[in-house]
Amino acid sequence: MLKLALAPFSTYRNLGTRREVGRLGALQRPVFIALLVGTLLALTSTGRITLGLVLAVAACWSFVPAIQAFAGFAVIARSPHRTVGRAQALDLLFAGHAPWSLWLLAVAARIAWLDAPASFSGAFLATAWIPLAWRCVIVFAFCRSVLLESRRGALLRTAAHQAIVWSLGIGVLAVAVRLWPRIVGAFGG
Amino acid sequence: MRFWRRAAWLLLGAGIALGTGLDDSSARTPPRLADGSFVLSADFHVHAFPGDGALPVSELRKEARRRRLDVLAITNHNQTLAARIGRWLAPATGVPLVLVGDEITAPRYHLVAAGIERPIDWRLSAAEAIEAVHAQGGIAIAAHPVRQGSSGFDDEAMARLDGAEVAHPLVHSSAEGRRELVAFHERANRLRANVSARGIEPLQPHVAPIGSSDFHMIAPLGFCRTDVVASAFTEKAVLEAVRAGRTIAYDPSGNAYGDPELVRLVRGARPAPAPEPVKGLARVANVLAWLGLLGLVVFDRERSIETAGQTP
């Protein structure tokens, strides 16, 4: 939601008294993110979108929201001042997905329509610092306004959240591309 | 807000429905030459999920049929799991033929192994790795052998290679990459003539030219490809044809690399393959789905906001 992404502190502050979201309700946003990733990957890798392709790719890449959910639970579970239930807190954390979602949409559009397929240089990937920084601000606002953490506590939880997300993400990548021989090669092995 | 959200779902649904309706992943019969040989369109360097490819093997097979590929080697880095799933899913006589493979990812070389059963140890030297591939009945192809990352291919390894990638998405993105790939292939062929005198016996007179997409998630499957002139539409015949150098590599512009006589023969059977751009209604379907997703991100579920600030 753009309102949350553009004004995270005030928007999160206003969310404290709303109705509880059930466990199923909390699944809606992670499922949508899986659908978004599945559709965009289908588009960039085949230039086509079919129902079977989107569902299959979304299922395979559902580890992306799963990692986010795991990191979210780790941050939310032991928060003493939290005023909302865990499911609701997780739903609110996922509500701040706009920066990465918009960036993925932009990258997919560039690959699918603006670039010749294989000449995509990866330079565009350098813009990833924008959603990365933006998302950190949103997570910090979430910790301050929903988990009612102090400034220092919110900073620590934001850092922990990002550390879990990126270490798991890089771990999956390292296994997939067999990073170790490349590291050995980089150091002249 | 609810209206726009519904409209966004509608766009996404319409895009997916249109894309599904337009889909054609039906199999075709590979063309044959006058002597009965098959001209098989192959991509010997493809990454799949689970691994660092975007698509699961079931979808890769459908995509291969859409791209008019007859043979697919699934070659994840130092592993064969996805490839074995692929072969298990593919009927022995179905299109495409799925070869179990592995991109041996070592510090000083990358080597595609196709037609193997088990992953090859990446700690071996390139020459030892090629020997291990041959011991399993497979073929060994130098993967994107540009200067950076191919220093492990010494004379002994070059003499035992079955093929080398001369057409790879690198040729599309860099003139330097194109020159280096062709130079490696020429050097490998030159070495064949000289190594016998130094006690190394090459397995065949020529290194087969290979075109591969190195498909992960951006360059389309079959973006660069190889025509294999095989005596039958079987794995054994495909591997034999590569060993014998009966291949033609194609870059994305349709330029052919290989024995001019073979190129002439194959061109007579069918035109040079070229990747087809997505156009017409398929493009409309993609735009609709993309706009739908954009709408769903912008007009995210508002339940939480609508109730915000309402004191119970």
Side-chain angles (χ1 to χ4, degrees), chain A residues 155-172:
Chain A
L155 268 176
L156 284 174
R157 281 177 192 270
T158 303
H161 177 268
Q162 291 297 300
I164 295 170
V165 166
W166 287 104
S167 53
L168 287 176
I170 291 170
V172 169

Side-chain angles (χ1 to χ4, degrees), chain A residues 1 14-15 18 28-29 43-47 49-51 53 60-61 91 97 105 117-118 177-178 181-182 185, chain B residues 19-20 49 51-52 54-55 59 66-67 77 79 105 107 215 217-218 220 223 278 286 290 300-301 304 307-309:
Chain A
M1 77 187 59
N14 288 333
L15 295 174
R18 72 187 181 87
Q28 287 182 19
R29 284 195 172 99
L43 179 63
T44 56
S45 58
T46 70
I49 292 175
T50 70
L51 185 61
L53 181 61
C60 289
W61 286 75
D91 182 52
H97 68 81
L105 280 159
V177 305
R178 294 300 195 258
R182 297 167 199 262
Chain B
T20 307
F49 187 96
D52 61 339
L55 302 184
E59 292 303 321
R66 288 184 197 111
R67 302 270 175 190
H77 299 281
Q79 55 182 312
T105 305
F215 174 82
M217 58 183 71
I218 295 179
F223 189 63
V278 178
N286 292 348
W290 187 89
D300 193 358
R301 184 160 47 94
S304 51
T307 54

Side-chain angles (χ1 to χ4, degrees), chain B residues 51-122:
Chain B
D52 61 339
L55 302 184
V57 180
S58 55
E59 292 303 321
L60 267 178
R61 294 186 57 235
K62 285 184 200 161
E63 182 62 9
R65 288 198 292 266
R66 288 184 197 111
R67 302 270 175 190
R68 301 288 180 250
L69 285 167
D70 308 302
V71 181
L72 207 56
I74 296 176
T75 56
N76 279 351
H77 299 281
N78 297 342
Q79 55 182 312
T80 55
L81 173 65
R84 280 183 284 126
I85 294 172
R87 192 178 52 185
W88 179 69
L89 287 174
T93 53
V95 175
L97 198 63
V98 176
L99 308 183
V100 174
D102 167 15
E103 181 178 0
I104 306 163
T105 305
R108 292 170 59 228
Y109 68 88
H110 285 203
L111 181 73
V112 163
I116 56 167
E117 291 299 320
R118 300 173 305 283
I120 309 292
D121 188 348
W122 61 269

Side-chain angles (χ1 to χ4, degrees), chain A:
Chain A
M1 77 187 59
L2 274 191
K3 188 175 176 183
L4 177 59
L6 295 174
F9 289 93
S10 59
T11 309
Y12 270 136
R13 212 173 294 130
N14 288 333
L15 295 174
T17 55
R18 72 187 181 87
R19 281 197 303 269
E20 189 67 40
V21 173
R23 284 181 186 171
L24 275 179
L27 274 178
Q28 287 182 19
R29 284 195 172 99
V31 168
F32 172 68
I33 291 172
L35 179 70
L36 179 111
V37 171
T39 310
L40 295 181
L41 270 178
L43 179 63
T44 56
S45 58
T46 70
R48 294 173 176 81
I49 292 175
T50 70
L51 185 61
L53 181 61
V54 167
L55 293 180
V57 179
C60 289
W61 286 75
S62 56
F63 71 86
V64 173
I67 287 175
Q68 295 278 342
F70 179 80
F73 265 121
V75 169
I76 291 163
R78 288 173 176 270
S79 51
H81 312 299
R82 171 166 45 88
T83 56
V84 295
R86 281 181 193 170
Q88 190 176 347
L90 193 67
D91 182 52
L92 288 171
L93 186 58
F94 267 102
H97 68 81
W100 279 113
S101 298
L102 290 172
W103 184 79
L104 285 174
L105 280 159
V107 171
R110 177 170 171 147
I111 293 171
W113 296 307
L114 299 182
D115 261 334
S119 68
F120 181 72
S121 63
F124 201 62
L125 296 179
T127 60
W129 68 268
I130 299 171
L132 177 66
W134 193 358
R135 176 70 174 148
C136 284
V137 171
I138 291 173
V139 174
F140 179 75
F142 168 83
C143 293
R144 288 283 281 160
S145 310
V146 178
L147 303 185
L148 300 181
E149 287 289 332
S150 66
R151 195 177 171 79
R152 185 170 178 274
L155 268 176
L156 284 174
R157 281 177 192 270
T158 303
H161 177 268
Q162 291 297 300
I164 295 170
V165 166
W166 287 104
S167 53
L168 287 176
I170 291 170
V172 169
L173 181 76
V175 172
V177 305
R178 294 300 195 258
L179 207 54
W180 183 242
R182 297 167 199 262
I183 293 171
V184 172
F187 288 96

Side-chain angles (χ1 to χ4, degrees), chain B residues 43-55:
Chain B
D43 193 336
F44 287 110
H45 189 169
V46 175
H47 295 267
F49 187 96
D52 61 339
L55 302 184

